């Protein structure tokens, strides 16, 4: 807005006009050339500001895309890590089962002693909770995820929070089942209960909701 003022307009009057939204003023009698120049200057200024804002938005969008790509990469790494831990756990269990069969068939006491010690060592490795190890890495990427989620929704159990973490990584039910040793049916019921506790409608995406935490 360019304000056209009277000859006797005071500074207080100009201040009020400028505060109301005017960005410039010309005094009467108005010079046509001066008015056109002022208008062109304002148009150039507005266009320049728009250009700066558009460039800022483009840079901001690019920065957000870079951040999101990095986060997606870390989430994929976490998913692979979870499946690797699960595979390692299953392999140890299978090895113990095979060694147990050998233990039952041999009569050599020395061999039995060695096998027994080996089984104990494997069982100790298997007893280490893969969830604790996974959780540590998860929280390095998604800081305060569990704390923020449990504070806002205290009805969530520890198992619920665990499943929420896997869903946050966009893991499918089959992958979650491999890690948690829970059946597909059990996990589907857990997801249903989680949705109810989070007050989500059937149209709401559980994954999208969890990305906010």
């Amino acid at each position: 807005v360019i304000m056209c003022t009277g000859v006797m307009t005071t500074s207080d009057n100009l201040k009020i006009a400028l505060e109301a939204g005017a960005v410039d003023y010309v005094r009467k009698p108005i010079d046509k050339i001066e008015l056109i120049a002022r208008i062109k200057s304002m148009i150039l200024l507005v266009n320049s500001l728009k250009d700066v804002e558009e460039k800022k938005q483009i840079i901001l969008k690019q920065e957000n895309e870079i951040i999101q790509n990095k986060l997606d990469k870390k989430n994929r790494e976490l998913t692979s890590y979870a499946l690797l831990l699960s595979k390692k756990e299953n392999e140890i269990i299978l090895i113990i089962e095979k060694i147990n069969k050998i233990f039952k068939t041999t009569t050599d006491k020395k061999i039995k002693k060695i096998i027994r010690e080996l089984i104990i060592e494997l069982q100790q490795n298997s007893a280490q909770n893969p969830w604790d190890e996974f959780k540590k890495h998860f929280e390095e990427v998604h800081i305060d995820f569990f704390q923020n989620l449990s504070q806002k929704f205290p009805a969530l159990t520890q198992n619920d929070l665990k499943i929420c973490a896997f869903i946050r990584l966009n893991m499918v039910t089959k992958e979650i089942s491999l890690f948690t040793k829970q059946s597909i049916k059990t996990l589907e019921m857990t997801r249903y209960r989680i949705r109810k506790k989070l007050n989500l409608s059937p149209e709401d995406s559980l994954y999208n909701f969890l990305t906010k935490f």
Side-chain angles (χ1 to χ4, degrees):
V1 177
I2 298 176
M3 179 180 62
C4 297
T5 71
V7 178
M8 301 304 292
T9 302
T10 66
S11 296
D12 288 339
N13 297 139
L14 291 174
K15 183 181 178 182
I16 293 170
L18 291 171
E19 288 175 350
V23 294
D24 200 357
Y25 67 92
V26 291
R27 291 185 183 277
K28 294 179 181 178
I30 297 171
D31 184 285
K32 184 178 179 182
I33 301 300
E34 179 186 3
L35 181 60
I36 292 172
R38 294 283 184 90
I39 292 171
K40 285 184 177 180
S41 295
M42 288 301 104
I43 291 172
L44 286 172
L45 178 61
V46 169
N47 288 338
S48 295
L49 291 172
K50 284 183 178 178
D51 187 51
V52 169
E53 184 60 30
E54 286 175 0
K55 287 179 179 177
K56 279 174 63 179
Q57 291 301 321
I58 290 171
I59 292 171
L60 183 62
K61 183 181 178 182
Q62 290 173 341
E63 289 176 347
N64 288 336
E65 286 176 352
I66 291 170
I67 292 170
Q68 187 59 49
N69 288 336
K70 286 182 178 179
L71 183 60
D72 290 343
K73 184 175 182 291
K74 288 181 178 179
N75 282 342
R76 288 193 296 271
E77 289 172 352
L78 278 170
T79 300
S80 298
Y81 184 64
L83 296 175
L84 183 64
L85 287 174
S86 176
K87 183 181 178 183
K88 176 186 172 185
E89 182 78 3
N90 290 333
E91 286 175 349
I92 290 174
I93 292 170
L94 288 173
I95 290 170
I96 291 173
E97 289 176 356
K98 288 179 180 179
I99 294 175
N100 264 323
K101 288 180 181 178
I102 297 171
F103 180 83
K104 291 175 182 178
T105 57
T106 186
T107 56
D108 190 304
K109 290 183 179 180
K110 287 184 179 180
I111 294 176
K112 276 184 174 292
K113 184 176 180 296
I114 293 171
I115 291 175
R116 190 180 295 109
E117 290 172 353
L118 181 59
I119 290 174
I120 291 170
E121 187 178 342
L122 287 169
Q123 286 175 336
Q124 286 174 344
N125 287 328
S126 180
Q128 294 174 0
N129 192 345
W131 165 249
D132 291 336
E133 194 174 344
F134 171 81
K135 184 181 178 184
K136 177 186 174 183
H137 290 281
F138 179 89
E139 289 184 314
E140 288 175 358
V141 178
H142 301 283
I143 302 168
D144 296 331
F145 174 83
F146 297 108
Q147 181 180 336
N148 294 336
L149 194 58
S150 59
Q151 281 181 350
K152 190 164 184 180
F153 302 97
L156 292 171
T157 66
Q158 286 302 309
N159 186 60
D160 291 338
L161 292 170
K162 184 186 294 187
I163 302 305
C164 284
F166 294 128
I167 296 171
R168 175 65 184 83
L169 297 179
N170 209 18
M171 290 174 66
V172 297
T173 305
K174 186 177 179 180
E175 292 172 334
I176 300 172
S177 176
L178 286 172
F179 188 92
T180 61
K181 308 293 188 297
Q182 298 179 37
S183 68
I184 300 293
K185 186 176 180 180
T186 298
L187 288 171
E188 287 174 350
M189 286 301 299
T190 302
R191 288 177 71 110
Y192 174 75
R193 287 195 297 269
I194 289 172
R195 293 182 65 90
K196 287 192 69 176
K197 292 176 183 179
L198 299 179
N199 300 316
L200 296 180
S201 68
E203 294 77 25
D204 293 327
S205 165
L206 179 54
Y207 167 75
N208 289 339
F209 181 82
L210 293 174
T211 58
K212 300 173 184 176
F213 292 86

